[in-house]
Amino acid sequence: MEALKVWSLTASPLRQLLRLSSSSTAIYGRRSHHSSLMLRCASAASSSSSSNAATAETPKPSGRNRRAASSSNSTSDREAIRSIRLKKVEELRGQGVEPYAYKWEKSHSANQLQEIYKHLANGEELNDESDRVSIAGRVVARRAFGKLAFLTLRDESGTIQLYCEKERLSDDQFEQLKAFIDIGDILGASGSMKRTEKGELSICVSSFSILTKSLLPLPDKYHGLTDIDKRYRQRYVDMIANPEVADVFRKRAKIVSEIRKTVESSGYLEVETPVLQGAAGGAEARPFVTYHNSLGRDLYLRIATELHLKRMLVGGFEKVYEIGRIFRNEGLSTRHNPEFTTIEMYEAFSDYQSMMDMAELIVTGCAMAVNGKLTLDYQGTEICLERPWRRETMHNLVKEATGIDFSELGEDLGKAKDTVLVALQDVLEHKDKSGIGACSSLGHLLNEVFEVVVEPKLVQPTFVLDYPIEISPLAKPHRGNAGLTERFELFICGREMANAFSELTDPVDQRRRLEEQVRQHNAKRAAAAAETPEGKAKKDDDDDDESYEVTLDEDFLTALEYGMPPASGMGLGIDRLVMLLTNSASIRDVIAFPVLKPSPHIYASGSLKLEDTPPPPPPQVSSVVDDGDDDDQYVDAQVEEVVDHVDGLLNEVREEEGKEEDCALEEGQSNGEILKSSLKKETLDSEDGERREKKKKVQWVDLMGKELAEIREFESRLVY
């Protein structure tokens, strides 16, 4: 009971949304009534928010006293709990128990025990010495009834129940368990195997040891799922609260392993190339710049591994690859992180057709390794990865989608732009028209139309072939079409997954193209400098900033002059592949520790101020315990306030999206009514009519469904 109250104390399902929403007047320029609504929500919530920290790990007051308890914000709650647990650490050491152990000998994992003893019948117990087991993990739930206690222990593989009887434990361990073990602690336990009468496989504990005493309370399930900011900033908490999050990273590891297995079985050798480079090349992107003190010079974090891998081909290697971190000093989004992982591979004596086959082999192999099939659901869309995949030229795809045949537009760039603007006037937004107007060649114009109109429609796997030479400075000229290159990009779900060329090996042509790329960049840089008011610098987060310097990699050009064999090369984005195969909507979901903007200052100048403190947390609803007190009225009042609070927030989000203010479901029943019904049922009813303790957590996602998805989407816009 004590630990359940600690768990419940931390449950603040919509706290982050409330705080973010309170600041969004400054961010989005909302109507004035927005602020008052959020203040009303905060006020309504404050009367039933979490109880103060003094009651967090002590016996619960009666319903009447509980109603009188003052609210406290999450920070003070957490610090109070931390203080209490630090005192427990001192008490344990005072009793000669070290709460931070050096090691523990495990005999099994939780999943192994579940598999080995799945045959045990209800009520059956094994007392043989051979059936004694030892396990370790984190306590994620606890219940205590007189001389009996149940703990749920979670390790990397899964969960197992600990069945703790006072008679089975030596010395004063049972009292120690009741007094000092909290949810979040890491525990080692030994004992025999038993299946309870209710069918729960358990370890009958004969001894246990506190391996690590947790000082901070764990979040509840709801908070861990929807607090976008905390999920990414404190991924370790996210993985504790939500084991399915860790599964994504296990799948990621399996995908990387499968990629290595696939390419190495084809004869490729893994090599390593420098992260710090004297010239950032191999792609067109703004680099990160650092300074080397001993050398007294600037160095760049690599934006690609391409140019050094090609040097390996010059040196005599025929098949090389690298899985490595890439760094690009550009924007943040659901698809972009400043550091990301790619595999780049190069094969001598082959062309880009070979790389299409390799791309299919890698993606389908990873899909089978992770999901066991070649059809998958990605965000509600079925994707079929059965080979072969569609292969079509950029010219034909643009003609198919727009009716414009670029091969018939001639050489007049201005006339071509006018033709495009007229043909697409109904589908182009203002920024798209500006992009078309800024195109410096027909090749750039073709690519711009492709990106705006065609790319989002490429849902099923599609190889887009034969890119314009103007945007492909490292690709070989096309053998049959002047002005084009032998290059492809792979698209799935409207996203670029891979990029490949028949590699340019002519050192003179390569120098000319790279010099032209530098010239164009410097021209844009000069134009941007001329347009910038004197003394006013560009913003650091401006993705169109051309202020960074581009230089030629003279050593790479020298290497080409020694001779590089004909070759093909491909880069494939591992993060986006993991997103696809794990049905993850954001790149942040597949990177354990993504780069984020600084924590938002919610009450900045010009925003709402509530005495310079955050608003109180919303009502605690993740677990309501009926302990026999006569507090039906308290529960009813709590549920009513939750209903008002949640419905108010949902209406506000819908209003932000320009939707109907009514949040009623199809059958006319409001979210609040469903929530109230479920809460009261879980709180006050029991199958046999007796009042009994219940601790089943309310599953908010199931209750709110679509509306909660909208809330998460609303939060994401503020975080990004």
Side-chain angles (χ1 to χ4, degrees), residues 70-102:
S70 60
S71 300
S72 58
N73 62 49
S74 61
T75 301
S76 62
D77 289 344
R78 187 175 70 165
E79 289 306 312
I81 293 172
R82 182 175 182 274
S83 177
I84 292 170
R85 294 192 179 185
L86 279 171
K87 290 180 181 178
K88 291 184 179 182
V89 170
E90 294 174 6
E91 291 180 33
L92 284 167
R93 285 178 172 154
Q95 297 176 13
V97 177
E98 175 52 52
Y100 296 98
Y102 285 89

Side-chain angles (χ1 to χ4, degrees), residues 447-645:
N447 185 63
E448 184 73 18
V449 173
F450 169 79
E451 289 184 350
V452 171
V453 181
V454 181
E455 188 174 311
K457 300 177 182 179
L458 300 178
V459 176
Q460 300 301 324
T462 304
F463 291 109
V464 180
L465 313 180
D466 305 344
Y467 278 61
I469 197 168
E470 296 93 328
I471 61 170
S472 310
L474 296 165
K476 224 176 187 67
H478 199 281
R479 280 167 275 194
N481 294 288
L484 301 180
T485 59
E486 294 195 352
R487 172 187 175 186
F488 76 77
E489 287 187 339
L490 169 62
F491 288 87
I492 306 177
C493 294
R495 299 174 184 175
E496 176 198 341
M497 303 294 291
N499 186 19
F501 314 142
S502 293
E503 300 296 338
L504 182 59
T505 55
D506 181 344
V508 176
D509 190 10
Q510 183 67 87
R511 176 178 290 276
R512 180 185 58 78
R513 291 203 216 174
L514 292 178
E515 287 177 344
E516 175 62 18
Q517 189 179 39
V518 171
R519 187 195 67 76
Q520 290 184 8
H521 177 85
N522 289 339
K524 290 181 181 179
R525 187 180 181 189
E531 293 175 1
T532 303
E534 189 174 352
K536 183 177 180 181
K538 263 186 170 290
K539 294 182 179 179
D540 291 337
D541 60 354
D542 188 349
D543 290 343
D544 296 326
D545 184 8
E546 301 290 344
S547 62
Y548 63 95
E549 184 179 4
V550 173
T551 58
L552 288 179
D553 188 336
E554 288 288 351
D555 183 71
F556 169 66
L557 293 172
T558 299
L560 285 188
E561 294 194 354
Y562 279 96
M564 187 177 95
S568 62
M570 177 174 66
L572 186 147
I574 290 178
D575 305 289
R576 290 186 180 180
L577 178 58
V578 177
M579 287 173 64
L580 174 69
L581 298 181
T582 60
N583 194 20
S584 300
S586 170
I587 195 172
R588 290 170 173 83
D589 294 328
V590 301
I591 296 177
F593 304 102
V595 176
L596 300 171
K597 293 181 179 180
S599 298
H601 298 287
I602 303 303
Y603 297 100
S605 176
S607 300
L608 293 176
K609 291 186 178 180
L610 300 177
E611 300 178 354
D612 294 324
T613 61
Q620 301 301 312
V621 298
S622 63
S623 56
V624 182
V625 178
D626 174 18
D627 57 357
D629 291 344
D630 186 18
D631 55 3
D632 293 16
Q633 292 181 348
Y634 167 74
V635 173
D636 283 337
Q638 185 188 47
V639 172
E640 291 292 346
E641 288 172 358
V642 172
V643 169
D644 293 340
H645 179 71

